[in-house]
Amino acid sequence: MNRNFDFSQLNEFEARVVEAGRIYAKLKLATGCRNINGLPVRRSDPRAHRNWRVFAATVALCDEAAIDVREFLRCVLWRTVDELQRGWEASPSMLPTKWAVDRWKKFRHQLPPDNTLEQFQIDTLAVIRTSRAFLRGRALHLFGEEVSLDYLWGYRESGSGFNLAIRWMASLARPYLALSKAFWKWFETAPATVVEEHVPVQDLKTWRWKLSTDTVFIEKAREIMGEDLWER
């Protein structure tokens, strides 16, 4: 019988390493990444995982430099519009490096603080805006002008298989997908095999419920998404 790992046996530093792994996974999911590769946080001993050394080194680096671990991870994992265009995302091995520290220095004054509901909303609106800019960029690249999102989601490049939407999925933030009317229209017509492989349905529905119940947030999202905003 499978039993959950007893996390109470971890010492203080080890518990902080596990928490860093949890933060990493949540931030990756929030920004639309699929390649999580964090740490196990339930059943198995995280200290035996191949990424334990990386996350332990990351926490140690932050301690030595007096950097808040969550702030550090937010800055390192943040993806700009250009990085979304290229499908770029950071991997665990990149965290305890000089490159990551330089990235923290670059973004720490650009990203909003992360400790209040209002600031969470600002952050979420920022990734929605970035995702919308990514799709505009794709449209301009393909057609030289903006096209309707319904057309863009259904577009098939010659010889590309089902359509280009599945290539873009990992570059779009989950809050954006959760609230995009055009995405859900595409979802309703997509083959079950495509949905099963590429669409985190339950996670998107959770995001949609969470965000759509906040009327203040929805009005702010409407300013970015316009008619594409999903209505309850």
Side-chain angles (χ1 to χ4, degrees), residues 163-209:
N163 60 26
L164 292 180
I166 58 176
R167 294 189 193 175
W168 302 334
M169 201 82 66
S171 296
L172 294 167
R174 297 193 179 194
Y176 176 83
L177 292 173
L179 294 178
S180 170
K181 187 186 301 182
F183 166 77
W184 289 105
K185 283 184 180 179
W186 171 85
F187 170 83
E188 289 172 359
T189 62
T193 53
V194 171
V195 169
E196 184 176 334
E197 182 177 357
H198 297 283
V199 183
V201 179
Q202 192 54 53
D203 190 49
L204 292 181
K205 288 183 176 179
T206 299
W207 269 106
R208 190 171 68 178
W209 176 85

Side-chain angles (χ1 to χ4, degrees), residues 138-155:
R138 292 292 84 201
L140 291 172
H141 174 74
L142 289 170
F143 310 110
E145 60 182 358
E146 279 207 55
V147 297
S148 74
L149 287 171
D150 287 341
Y151 182 79
L152 190 61
W153 275 103
Y155 177 72

Side-chain angles (χ1 to χ4, degrees), residues 24-202:
Y24 172 89
K26 287 180 179 179
L27 291 173
K28 278 263 188 170
L29 285 170
T31 54
C33 296
R34 292 184 176 280
N35 185 25
I36 307 301
N37 290 332
L39 285 174
V41 295
R42 290 184 180 177
R43 293 190 179 277
S44 57
D45 185 343
R47 296 169 297 187
H49 193 269
R50 65 183 184 278
N51 284 338
W52 177 262
R53 177 183 57 81
V54 172
F55 281 95
T58 301
V59 173
L61 181 155
C62 289
D63 286 351
E64 184 177 351
I67 301 172
D68 178 77
V69 173
R70 184 178 184 84
E71 180 189 75
F72 179 79
L73 290 173
R74 288 184 69 225
C75 293
V76 175
L77 298 179
W78 181 261
R79 294 196 294 171
T80 64
V81 172
D82 173 66
E83 289 163 348
L84 282 168
Q85 293 271 16
R86 293 185 280 111
W88 180 91
E89 60 181 85
S91 62
S93 63
M94 300 166 74
L95 300 178
T97 64
K98 180 182 181 300
W99 170 86
V101 174
D102 289 342
R103 191 170 173 87
W104 166 75
K105 291 177 180 177
K106 176 181 178 180
F107 286 116
R108 60 177 170 156
H109 296 307
Q110 297 183 35
L111 302 188
D114 189 38
N115 57 356
T116 70
L117 175 60
E118 181 180 4
Q119 290 157 350
F120 166 77
Q121 291 177 344
I122 292 171
D123 227 1
T124 305
L125 289 167
V127 297
I128 288 175
R129 187 176 290 106
T130 300
S131 293
R132 185 68 189 93
F134 169 81
L135 286 180
R136 284 195 181 100
R138 292 292 84 201
L140 291 172
H141 174 74
L142 289 170
F143 310 110
E145 60 182 358
E146 279 207 55
V147 297
S148 74
L149 287 171
D150 287 341
Y151 182 79
L152 190 61
W153 275 103
Y155 177 72
R156 294 191 192 189
E157 199 171 46
S158 177
S160 68
F162 180 65
N163 60 26
L164 292 180
I166 58 176
R167 294 189 193 175
W168 302 334
M169 201 82 66
S171 296
L172 294 167
R174 297 193 179 194
Y176 176 83
L177 292 173
L179 294 178
S180 170
K181 187 186 301 182
F183 166 77
W184 289 105
K185 283 184 180 179
W186 171 85
F187 170 83
E188 289 172 359
T189 62
T193 53
V194 171
V195 169
E196 184 176 334
E197 182 177 357
H198 297 283
V199 183
V201 179
Q202 192 54 53

